[in-house]
Amino acid sequence: MAPEHPAEERTPRRRPLQVAAGVLGDLLFTVGVLLALLVVYSLWWTNLTAGRHADRSAERLRRAWSAAAPTAPTASPTGAASTAAPPPYEAGGGIGFLHVPGLGAGYQVLIEAGTDKDTLADGVAGVYTAPYPSAMPWDAQGNFALAAHRDGHGAKFHDLDRLKPGDPLVVETHDRWYVYRVDATLPETSKYDTGVIAPVPTGSPYTEPGRYITLTTCTPVYTSLYRMAVWGSLVREEPMDPGRTPPAELR
């Protein structure tokens, strides 16, 4: 009698539906990993690189200021235009610094000309050149309109929604301090609403030309669906002393 052979073990065949489910699961896992890496890149890596770039640019600007010490202009009355020669206004060039005590002690952001993608990606606040060319703080009247990212690329305006009427905004230039007061905020508007940066901003409490500042960024956080705006008006300006002593709002 022939010896019995053990039954051959058979690998169960997977049904097509099971194969498809496995492939789909692997695909979803891969997509999830890629999305996580994209978030890390967008919110952490771009903040890191933009912060480094902005710090280097700020250092270069302050060195340039030190090499050309400001003259000692006399203080001008509130609302009067500065007689001091303004710093150069060139695309991508440094204009000064925005200080916002309401966003934390020591908060400052470098201000550069332009709101194009490359400029704002460097972790700065950019000055609008279109559709309404921004006025400068030293101009007799107009709207000094700025934009910065809320998330990623430095996220300099991430907490812009914390500002409220009465908060000070201080612009530091080569030879003067410009002190503004927040008058109103616009929590949300269309990204196509260019009126918020007009010389007399649409929707603001202002009804006639003056010396204004507007800060804009995306909203809600982590999206670019809408825009928000903060409006302020000039309270006073102070000449820059050799020690660059900040105004009372920053002390």
Side-chain angles (χ1 to χ4, degrees), residues 22-202:
V23 172
L24 180 60
D26 291 342
L27 179 61
L28 290 176
F29 176 79
T30 302
V31 170
V33 170
L34 292 176
L35 288 176
L37 292 175
L38 179 61
V39 170
V40 169
Y41 171 79
S42 298
L43 300 183
W44 177 76
W45 182 252
T46 60
N47 281 344
L48 182 64
T49 56
R52 290 174 176 173
H53 185 280
D55 288 344
R56 289 194 296 268
S57 297
E59 185 179 354
R60 285 195 298 269
L61 181 60
R62 290 199 179 279
R63 282 202 305 265
W65 285 355
S66 296
T71 56
T74 57
S76 62
T78 301
S82 170
T83 56
Y89 178 50
E90 300 173 352
I95 293 172
F97 297 88
L98 171 67
H99 303 266
V100 188
L103 298 185
Y107 173 97
Q108 74 169 24
V109 55
L110 176 66
I111 302 171
E112 291 191 350
T115 56
D116 57 278
K117 181 179 178 181
D118 291 339
T119 299
L120 295 187
D122 289 337
V124 304
V127 178
Y128 280 96
T129 57
Y132 300 99
S134 173
M136 292 291 103
W138 50 83
D139 289 338
Q141 65 180 33
N143 185 14
F144 184 46
L146 310 173
H149 281 291
R150 195 168 189 188
D151 301 293
H153 302 288
K156 293 301 184 180
F157 283 177
H158 182 80
D159 294 323
L160 198 65
D161 59 332
R162 288 169 46 188
L163 296 182
K164 57 187 183 302
D167 285 344
L169 306 171
V170 181
V171 174
E172 174 190 4
T173 66
H174 173 233
D175 52 16
R176 301 187 80 80
W177 298 96
Y178 298 87
V179 181
Y180 299 83
R181 178 191 61 244
V182 173
D183 294 317
T185 63
L186 181 63
E188 183 179 295
T189 188
S190 166
K191 66 174 71 176
Y192 306 108
D193 183 4
T194 58
V196 298
I197 61 168
V200 180
T202 304

Side-chain angles (χ1 to χ4, degrees), residues 4-5 17 24 30 36 62 91 94 97 101 129 138 144 149 152 167 174 205 217 224 227 231 233-234 236 241 243 248:
E4 294 183 359
H5 295 283
L17 185 59
L24 180 60
T30 302
R62 290 199 179 279
F97 297 88
T129 57
W138 50 83
F144 184 46
H149 281 291
D167 285 344
H174 173 233
T217 195
S224 58
R227 298 292 182 269
W231 293 302
S233 57
L234 186 72
R236 71 182 188 282
D241 63 36

